[in-house]
Amino acid sequence: MAILAVGSVAFDTVETPFGRAERVLGGSASFFSVAASFFVPVNLVAVVGGDFGEEQLRAFRGRTIDLEGLERKDGATFHWQGKYSYDLNSRETVRTDLNVFEHFKPRIPAPYRTSDGVFLGNIDPVLQREVLAQVEKPRIVVCDTMNFWIARKPEELRETLRKVDILLINDAEARELSGEWNIVKAARAVRALGPQTLVIKKGEHGVLMFGEEGSFAAPAFPLEEVFDPTGAGDTFAGGFLGYLAGAGAPGDAALRRAVVMGSTLASFCVEAFSLDRLLTLTRPEIDERYRRFQKLTHFEQI
Ligand code: AMP
């Protein structure tokens, strides 16, 4: 039931209207792995530099996250700096220092090749495909991408998408990828590229899923305080695929529960900087918020 996760492990510098965090743990694979490890074992594939020490590794230790695939290279760890305005839905990338990530060639340790699920974090679509080529018949392949790859490597991305079961992107990316402004038409066009299921993330406005059995919508959990949205998308992906991989029977009902579980995990992520809230989170807290989610969205037939 293990998931292979490939993506960035990073130092993030984040500025929000409520404060600033300097060189804290971040990266798509970090948020994903910690969130998914609440449900199933995770095999982490990423690269870090010599400046990534025991203090940072502690976030992964003591969880079901295997670190054999976490490569250490000479040089500095990937660093990303972002700034949010009062509208926490929009962020500006202040700087991206690729460092050791620039020449990242994912190497999949032999025991990881039989992973049941694969999460292709937001990296070059060529590398995403190289990862897939090293895994034997995974049951579910989930992929994330961003406008950068849609614009720079459209053909390579399309080739990768042919091998993907579930694509997670935001609404602007769905429009850009399909060339359709209307989100329903955009979803149909994106699904025609390969993924049977498309999950569109809309930040504080929640998630829309389009699949073989119709569509499903979930709001974001209404929180009184949103502190830092960084990593919410990857945390959503971790809760979503983690739940799905552990759920056994696939299908529309499991996909719907996975969307709510992803949204539940993401709602904790945004309560603090970095992975701080995820690292103190417990399974009973997750289950309690999941139930509140159910109550929030439940209504009777008339
Ligand atoms: P999210 O908020 O879920 O979109 O993900 C934020 C995380 O993505 C941050 O922790 C960053 O370290 C990481 N990130 C930002 N830009 C990139 C990039 N170009 N490639 C890989 N990871 C990135």
Side-chain angles (χ1 to χ4, degrees):
M1 276 301 147
I3 298 172
L4 186 159
V6 61
S8 56
V9 168
F11 284 118
D12 287 351
T13 298
V14 179
E15 234 180 288
T16 77
F18 318 110
R20 182 183 163 91
E22 194 89 33
R23 295 183 60 79
V24 289
L25 178 63
S28 59
S30 307
F31 287 103
F32 177 91
S33 301
V34 170
S37 69
F38 282 100
F39 306 94
V40 287
V42 178
N43 295 322
L44 175 61
V45 176
V47 61
V48 292
D51 53 357
F52 198 89
E54 199 46 46
E55 190 193 330
Q56 287 78 31
L57 286 170
R58 228 181 291 140
F60 305 124
R61 294 208 200 279
R63 299 170 189 275
T64 54
I65 301 176
D66 192 283
L67 299 175
E68 192 190 335
L70 183 65
E71 209 180 322
R72 186 177 288 269
K73 278 266 169 78
D74 284 341
T77 300
F78 174 67
H79 173 242
W80 174 80
Q81 184 170 348
K83 187 176 175 182
Y84 295 84
S85 61
Y86 269 98
D87 169 12
L88 289 172
N89 263 334
S90 65
R91 81 171 166 217
E92 177 200 340
T93 292
V94 177
R95 61 185 291 173
T96 301
D97 305 311
L98 289 174
N99 301 331
V100 292
F101 200 51
E102 186 168 5
H103 301 292
F104 178 43
K105 277 267 166 209
R107 201 187 41 82
I108 314 297
Y112 289 16
R113 295 181 186 195
T114 51
S115 301
D116 239 4
V118 177
F119 174 65
L120 302 171
N122 170 26
I123 56 173
D124 187 327
V126 177
L127 295 184
Q128 290 179 324
R129 223 161 47 238
E130 283 175 18
V131 169
L132 274 186
Q134 296 177 63
V135 188
E136 297 162 22
K137 289 206 200 82
R139 197 163 58 85
I140 324 171
V141 177
V142 173
C143 178
D144 187 6
T145 191
M146 67 188 288
N147 49 4
F148 181 85
W149 301 118
I150 296 170
R152 299 281 177 95
K153 298 207 174 175
E155 283 316 310
E156 298 289 1
L157 179 60
R158 277 165 187 253
E159 179 114 24
T160 300
L161 291 181
R162 281 195 265 279
K163 301 180 168 67
V164 164
D165 301 307
I166 304 174
L167 177 65
L168 308 177
I169 47 179
N170 68 33
D171 41 355
E173 288 156 356
R175 291 187 170 109
E176 200 175 333
L177 181 58
S178 63
E180 290 279 3
W181 188 88
N182 176 282
I183 212 71
V184 179
K185 288 182 181 163
R188 190 180 306 129
V190 170
R191 290 183 56 235
L193 298 175
Q196 299 99 300
T197 305
L198 172 66
V199 178
I200 299 184
K201 301 173 285 184
K202 288 151 35 101
E204 68 168 329
H205 304 298
V207 170
L208 259 178
M209 176 169 68
F210 295 88
E212 277 170 354
E213 296 183 50
S215 41
F216 176 67
F221 192 80
L223 292 168
E224 217 160 290
E225 302 220 8
V226 176
F227 199 75
D228 172 18
T230 306
D234 304 302
T235 304
F236 171 89
F240 175 84
L241 181 53
Y243 174 80
L244 212 52
D252 190 54
L255 280 166
R256 286 167 180 246
R257 290 196 298 271
V259 164
V260 175
M261 196 52 97
S263 305
T264 300
L265 269 290
S267 76
F268 286 108
C269 168
V270 303
E271 288 180 347
F273 276 129
S274 181
L275 280 81
D276 291 359
R277 182 63 183 99
L278 294 180
L279 295 178
T280 62
L281 189 59
T282 63
R283 186 62 202 247
E285 286 176 316
I286 296 173
D287 294 342
E288 200 252 339
R289 192 167 288 181
Y290 181 92
R291 282 192 296 274
R292 285 171 61 193
F293 230 114
Q294 189 177 27
K295 221 168 155 192
L296 173 74
T297 52
H298 179 82
F299 53 92
E300 302 287 343
Q301 207 158 15
I302 48 169

